[in-house]
Amino acid sequence: AQSVTQLDSHVSVSEGTPVLLRCNYSSSYSPSLFWYVQHPNKGLQLLLKYTSAATLVKGINGFEAEFKKSETSFHLTKPSAHMSDAAEYFCVVSELEGSYIPTFGRGTSLIVHP
Amino acid sequence: GAGVSQTPSNKVTEKGKYVELRCDPISGHTALYWYRQSLGQGPEFLIYFQGTGAADDSGLPNDRFFAVRPEGSVSTLKIQRTERGDSAMYLCASSLDSGTRYNEQFFGPGTRLTVL
């Protein structure tokens, strides 16, 4: 069975400061892990994905995430927030064996203050 | 090229009515997924198609929900005898295939269903 927990429902940062969105997962098999972003009135867009290659994954718009098996975590980071980063972010887990159906976290709303 | 499109963008209906939600995937994508997203929640899997067949419909909440993809392209999600609890955003996504790993899914903008 697979599950994902996004530890914060809301994260508030100032423009230009670092961003950290936390995600912990549970998986019976080797997982694939993803971060998607959802801007208001827009479709979900893939930010980055981990599929058992390098543990540090770089995505679009300066985001990156590190897969830590020992901590079952896949936190999303960005060195410097931009106003345009304000959106809903979803952590997603899918097992490479067994079910290929992805499980989404509940989402973290990122608020960026000027 | 064109992304995933969904029609209508908004649908308001009365309790007990029948509704159809349409999804046009990216051309050439064999896998198609339907999700339901309630306010403040992440997308919840409903059903996925590999080609014309429903490969996994374990997420459909009950037998009022049904989906088809007769020619392996456009898909229609059908909801009978709608209830107020069916109100949500319905998302469609497509990907190249499901295969042995989870490929990137491309999402449509969704259809917001409101049942009065």
Side-chain angles (χ1 to χ4, degrees), chain A residues 3-7 21-26 32-37 44 47-48 65 72-76 88-94 102-108, chain B residues 42-43 102:
Chain A
S3 66
V4 61
T5 302
Q6 292 185 243
L7 298 163
L21 305 183
R22 298 183 295 166
C23 172
N24 285 99
Y25 71 91
S26 173
S32 287
L33 292 157
F34 308 78
W35 277 98
Y36 279 83
V37 60
L44 284 106
L47 277 178
L48 49 81
T72 60
S73 70
F74 190 59
H75 301 334
L76 181 70
E88 193 79 15
Y89 291 79
F90 294 96
C91 183
V92 183
V93 63
S94 180
T103 299
F104 284 71
R106 295 183 62 168
T108 297
Chain B
Y102 174 51

Side-chain angles (χ1 to χ4, degrees), chain A residues 32 34 36 38 41-46 49 51-52 90 92 94-97 99-102 104-107, chain B residues 33 35 37 40-45 48 56 58 89 91 98-110:
Chain A
S32 287
F34 308 78
Y36 279 83
Q38 186 177 36
N41 302 315
K42 297 277 184 66
L44 284 106
Q45 180 185 19
L46 180 69
K49 65 179 179 181
T51 53
S52 75
F90 294 96
V92 183
S94 180
E95 296 174 334
L96 292 181
E97 299 178 36
S99 169
Y100 308 131
I101 305 304
F104 284 71
R106 295 183 62 168
Chain B
Y33 296 74
Y35 297 87
Q37 185 177 19
Q41 303 290 323
E44 176 189 3
F45 166 77
Y48 104 82
D56 190 325
S58 61
M89 179 72 84
L91 300 173
S98 294
T100 59
R101 62 177 53 235
Y102 174 51
N103 292 298
E104 176 183 356
Q105 294 188 0
F106 294 83
F107 283 82

Side-chain angles (χ1 to χ4, degrees), chain A residues 47-77:
Chain A
L47 277 178
L48 49 81
K49 65 179 179 181
Y50 165 78
T51 53
S52 75
T55 56
L56 182 62
V57 182
K58 294 187 184 298
I60 61 172
N61 300 334
F63 284 95
E64 62 180 41
E66 186 171 8
F67 172 70
K68 292 187 176 180
K69 186 175 180 179
S70 61
E71 299 176 11
T72 60
S73 70
F74 190 59
H75 301 334
L76 181 70
T77 60

Side-chain angles (χ1 to χ4, degrees), chain B residues 26 33 39 59 67 71:
Chain B
I26 292 173
Y33 296 74
L39 204 59
E71 298 178 358

Side-chain angles (χ1 to χ4, degrees), chain B residues 33-80:
Chain B
Y33 296 74
W34 282 100
Y35 297 87
R36 179 168 67 177
Q37 185 177 19
S38 301
L39 204 59
Q41 303 290 323
E44 176 189 3
F45 166 77
L46 295 176
I47 184 171
Y48 104 82
F49 290 87
Q50 183 65 268
T52 60
D56 190 325
D57 64 358
S58 61
L60 294 177
N62 51 60
D63 61 6
R64 296 187 298 104
F65 287 75
F66 190 71
V68 296
R69 195 185 184 198
E71 298 178 358
S73 178
V74 170
S75 177
T76 305
L77 178 65
K78 308 180 180 193
I79 310 174
Q80 299 176 320

Side-chain angles (χ1 to χ4, degrees), chain A residues 11-17 19 81-86 110-114:
Chain A
V11 169
S12 184
V13 300
S14 297
E15 191 175 20
T17 64
V19 175
H82 192 274
M83 295 298 291
S84 62
D85 294 328
L110 177 63
I111 302 159
V112 182
H113 299 285

